[in-house]
Amino acid sequence: MNRQRQESWIVMKLGGTSVSKAATWDNAANAIRAAMKDGHRVLLVQSALAGVTDLLEKLLSDTTGAEREATLAEIERRHRALADEMTIDAGIVRPRLERLQQRALGAALTNEVTPRLRADVLAAGELMASELGCAYLEKTGVSVHWQDARELLRAVPLSTDNPQRHFLNATCDADRDDALRERLGRCGKAVLTQGFIASDAQGRTVLLGRGGSDTSAACLAGKLGAKRLEIWTDVPGMFTANPRDIPAARLLKRLDYDEAQEIAGTGAKVLHPRCIEPARRANIPLVIRYTPDPSVPGTEIGPQGADLGGRVKAVSLRRGIRLVEMSTSGMWQQVGFLADAFNAFKRHGLSIDLVSTSETTVTVSLDPLANSLDAETVNALLDDLGRHCRARLITGCAAISLVGRQMRANLHRLAPVLELFDERRVHLVSQAANDLNFTVVVDEADAARLVRQLHALMILAEGEDEVLGPAWQKLFEAESGSAIENAWWRGARDELLQQAQAGTPRYVYHRKSLDAAAERVRALPVERIFFAMKANNHPDVLRRLYANGLGFECVSPGELARVRALFPGIAKERLLFTPNFAPGSDYAAALDAGVRVTLDNLHALREWPALFRGREILLRVDPGQGAGHHRHVRTAGSHSKFGIPREELDEAARLAANCGAHVIGLHAHAGSGVRDPQLWQDVALKLAEAAEPFPEVRVLDLGGGLGVPERSGDAPLDMRALARLLKEFRAAHPRFELWLEPGRYLVAEAGVLLARVTQLKGKTGAQYVGIDAGMHTLLRPALYGAHHDIVNLSRLDEPAAITANIVGPVCETGDVLGIERRLPPCREGDVMLVANAGAYGRVMSSEYNLRGIPEERVI
Ligand code: LLP
């Protein structure tokens, strides 16, 4: 009995973010000590440091020696940073770094990266990290044996001859292996090995697919017949939705293997879906543990979940889904069509996820998580299918799944859910044969918003039971509040409450924040900045930005007139007129006033050539690919009405020359609310290329779009990185001046909307806080599903105690400003503050329901 107890293994897997910090290693070390004290042996399976696998991928695609050096230096820097934090010698990873350097050079010289080479290179991430981990544990007094995982896990031979799959997406067996158990038992009480890597029958390195470390751990748990498999990660468990998107998502305390499999398989990233089956087969309980704070109870997955009848347990989202649509009129009553078609997928090593069939068309989905969807494989598949039918690839989709037992019994509850799909393109619907999920494939652009709405409809906001634990936002209340902690309006609370006395709803803008934002934008290496005044046209706001030296981008005669009335002597260079589908008279008036115009359609040049004779103009180019926080604000690409497509630029040049106009600049605005600094460099590069047929172009106007954090925890746009990227561009293209026309960035955070609580209501499972602002005051939540933080300003210091929807007085179901927000108990008359409301707030308000237009003040 005692001997058996001695022999029991606990397998602990440490993920990338967990292994990247010394502090979390201390937590792991404590857990190992505790397990050993209880008489268990521990096998630690670890990932590469966060971001390192991506850097290794990059290393293989770097084309110049300088790029490779930079990537290697970054890989080294990350390991060194951890080693320094651990106060151990980073030199132990040096030999592997040198080998990497040779491999990368070899790949560049032969100009070929075989799957085998890729596997070899990527494996270095786990190997290096495990060397640091081992050294640190030894240092803290936990004696561990370092073990190369390739001697423990062997890939199962494939039935297809697909080297991609063989080397990069291998499968390993998880059958109990007593010999291995004995061998590892001899190595000591704690063994440390790597996830993600294994070997094939010839002893070559293979990988278990991205995110495969969980699978490694599960296979090893199966082989050792482990008592428990613990997945240590940076979230406390599985949630009813991705908590980073939906802070109201609830922790799932207990799940059975099937449910967990389904949730992991339909998008939750916390567990790799392939890791559950080995645990299930050997009946090993699987526990998710939160590395930064192991005292937080995680999710337990075992043979039996709590039976609570049919109930939706999670709403999951998978992006990057591709569909293959196969149609043929000959399919009807044909024998063997599906066999032929599915065989083609098998030949190319592609696994199918969802299927829907009709008499003439079969549509299947390919999940990027389960497939290496490189263009070559997909094209070969389409060619192959072409022999049996017309095959078409549909990209840019997302699969949304409601997961839970007995979905069929739940169908009647789906009625309000189905309404949400009105006016959305639904590519495929599937009700899983195992009765565990109901999945809809939609355009990726619609997905995030739909998931938010579905979650609000299907998952209870409050009340804990056997399955539902606390909401993410409740678990991390202190933390998630931290971004709000720093907002300017905290310090201005008394003044704001006074403002509210003068009447609500009311927008209030903070002068100092306007100045600070203007200063940050002015630090960018660009020649001119025009404030896109469509975002906020309040005279005092415009005065402030004018005083900060900014110009103005106007889109209508009304906007131009306002600026010119406010600043009669304004230099013409500080104005830009960029209308869209406006009448010719608008252009004529602007040009007469000496204002520079941007054209975004050939119509103007073709039909009104006389207007532009001798004028300096800019042309708005469609950069081809849009970006932005919602599909309505992505202003590029074929679905958008903006910009001259690149194919028409030669003609634009010809038309402009014919009418005697001077094209001095090209303009592009890809979209709004973007926080990836790379976008503007990409746009600049595209415009520089597009400038070829225009010898007189000296200006590239990169548009606006600079985003601000929408919710607590969102990273701000990295202005230093943006400056660096723009500088890089300028160094390579000194011929061009750069202009920017930000709207949101300059005003969003400076503005708040104040409103008063009108009425309160508690309905089954949901609470409502009514306020005197609604979709007529701030349209963004209703129009884009936009998020605005909302606090009770009257009770700013009271702890959150309720979860409520914040709604307005307009007679529409969509009149909701915030869904499932944590608030202190609210009372009629309390002043509520809606944050980040300075951009596209008041300017988009309306007279709908004749409730009046809100007041505005600058303080
Ligand atoms: N330049 C052009 C040509 C634009 O069309 C826009 C915005 C901007 C600059 C300024 O973009 P910003 O820096 O503010 O992202 N109502 C939406 C935003 C619509 C943006 C329209 N065009 C919202 O509330 O998110």
Side-chain angles (χ1 to χ4, degrees), residues 530 532 534-535 553 555 578 620 629 632-633 635 642 667-669 671-674 701 703-707 710 741-746 780 783-784 786 839-841 844:
F530 301 89
K534 61 176 90 58
E553 189 248 347
V555 292
T578 314
R620 177 167 180 173
H629 70 79
H632 291 169
V633 300
T635 44
F642 298 100
H667 167 284
H669 170 80
S672 198
V674 181
D701 180 340
L706 288 75
E710 280 215 330
E741 40 190 50
R744 182 189 321 271
Y745 190 86
L746 288 161
R780 304 190 69 250
L783 188 59
Y784 314 116
Y840 306 106
M844 291 175 78

Side-chain angles (χ1 to χ4, degrees), residues 147-477:
Q147 172 67 48
D148 190 325
R150 292 169 294 188
E151 292 163 14
L152 304 180
L153 284 179
R154 180 56 53 88
V156 180
L158 287 181
S159 55
T160 68
D161 180 22
N162 181 325
Q164 288 274 351
R165 183 125 203 170
H166 177 89
F167 285 104
L168 305 178
N169 224 342
T171 307
C172 293
D173 89 81
D175 297 339
R176 188 173 166 119
D177 181 345
D178 283 325
L180 180 78
R181 195 177 150 97
E182 205 163 299
R183 179 150 67 84
L184 273 191
R186 283 198 298 270
C187 293
K189 281 198 157 185
V191 177
L192 182 151
T193 193
Q194 310 77 32
F196 187 47
I197 65 176
S199 58
D200 67 4
Q202 288 86 45
R204 299 172 299 185
T205 303
V206 300
L207 305 178
L208 273 64
R210 289 302 291 266
S213 290
D214 291 351
T215 316
S216 297
C219 290
L220 287 166
K223 281 179 171 298
L224 295 176
K227 188 176 167 59
R228 194 163 72 231
L229 168 60
E230 296 182 358
I231 305 282
W232 287 62
T233 181
D234 57 350
V235 283
M238 293 183 122
F239 281 78
T240 52
N242 182 348
R244 307 220 192 273
D245 296 334
I246 302 182
R250 312 280 306 270
L251 177 72
L252 289 159
K253 293 199 282 201
R254 274 188 66 85
L255 292 168
D256 66 32
Y257 292 120
D258 289 337
E259 294 166 327
Q261 175 79 54
E262 210 67 27
I263 295 175
T266 53
K269 299 241 167 45
V270 54
L271 274 189
H272 195 287
R274 275 210 258 165
C275 83
I276 294 165
E277 183 52 28
R280 178 215 314 264
R281 255 195 292 146
N283 228 348
I284 300 170
L286 201 163
V287 187
I288 300 172
R289 303 197 59 184
Y290 182 50
T291 320
D293 180 2
S295 69
V296 173
T299 304
E300 265 189 61
I301 299 160
Q304 260 165 13
D307 183 4
L308 299 170
R311 160 159 164 187
V312 173
K313 296 213 172 113
V315 182
S316 17
L317 169 62
R318 278 171 296 165
R319 296 177 184 279
I321 299 288
R322 300 186 191 191
L323 301 176
V324 178
E325 186 187 83
M326 296 165 276
S327 39
T328 161
S329 46
M331 190 192 311
W332 191 57
Q333 294 187 344
Q334 270 281 315
V335 174
F337 171 76
L338 279 181
D340 290 341
F342 286 4
N343 241 318
F345 286 84
K346 178 175 174 188
R347 270 197 301 281
H348 296 282
L350 293 170
S351 86
I352 291 172
D353 182 27
L354 304 165
V355 184
S356 98
T357 65
S358 77
E359 281 166 4
T360 57
T361 306
V362 177
T363 306
V364 304
S365 74
L366 299 172
D367 184 343
L369 210 59
N371 293 292
S372 297
L373 292 174
D374 57 295
E376 210 177 307
T377 310
V378 174
N379 286 337
L381 168 78
L382 291 177
D383 279 352
D384 226 3
L385 287 171
R387 275 187 247 133
H388 310 287
C389 59
R390 285 188 307 282
R392 183 167 80 97
L393 184 72
I394 306 172
T395 57
C397 302
I400 299 177
S401 303
L402 300 176
V403 185
R405 289 212 163 276
Q406 303 171 32
M407 285 305 293
R408 268 194 288 270
N410 255 313
L411 282 180
H412 66 283
R413 289 186 56 213
L414 295 184
V417 169
L418 294 175
E419 272 176 29
L420 294 176
F421 292 95
D422 189 23
E423 284 195 31
R424 301 247 162 63
R425 191 160 352 143
V426 174
H427 295 284
L428 187 155
V429 177
S430 137
Q431 189 260 316
N434 62 7
D435 207 14
L436 273 163
N437 84 56
F438 176 82
T439 298
V440 182
V441 178
V442 295
D443 283 346
E444 205 161 339
D446 290 329
R449 185 175 189 207
L450 273 170
V451 168
R452 274 203 294 277
Q453 293 171 319
L454 285 169
H455 190 269
L457 265 175
M458 303 304 285
I459 308 277
L460 285 180
E462 281 183 330
E464 290 200 20
D465 58 24
E466 283 161 273
V467 172
L468 290 182
W472 170 273
Q473 59 194 5
K474 211 163 173 180
L475 273 171
F476 298 102
E477 217 137 57

Side-chain angles (χ1 to χ4, degrees), residues 5-6 8-10 35-36 38-42 189 227:
R5 212 175 113 82
Q6 285 268 327
S8 66
W9 281 90
I10 291 180
M36 291 200 304
D38 282 350
H40 303 300
R41 292 178 185 275
V42 177
K189 281 198 157 185
K227 188 176 167 59

Side-chain angles (χ1 to χ4, degrees), residues 638-653:
S638 53
H639 68 280
S640 139
K641 65 172 180 155
F642 298 100
I644 302 172
R646 277 178 288 182
E647 317 78 81
E648 289 183 7
L649 287 176
D650 285 332
E651 196 185 348

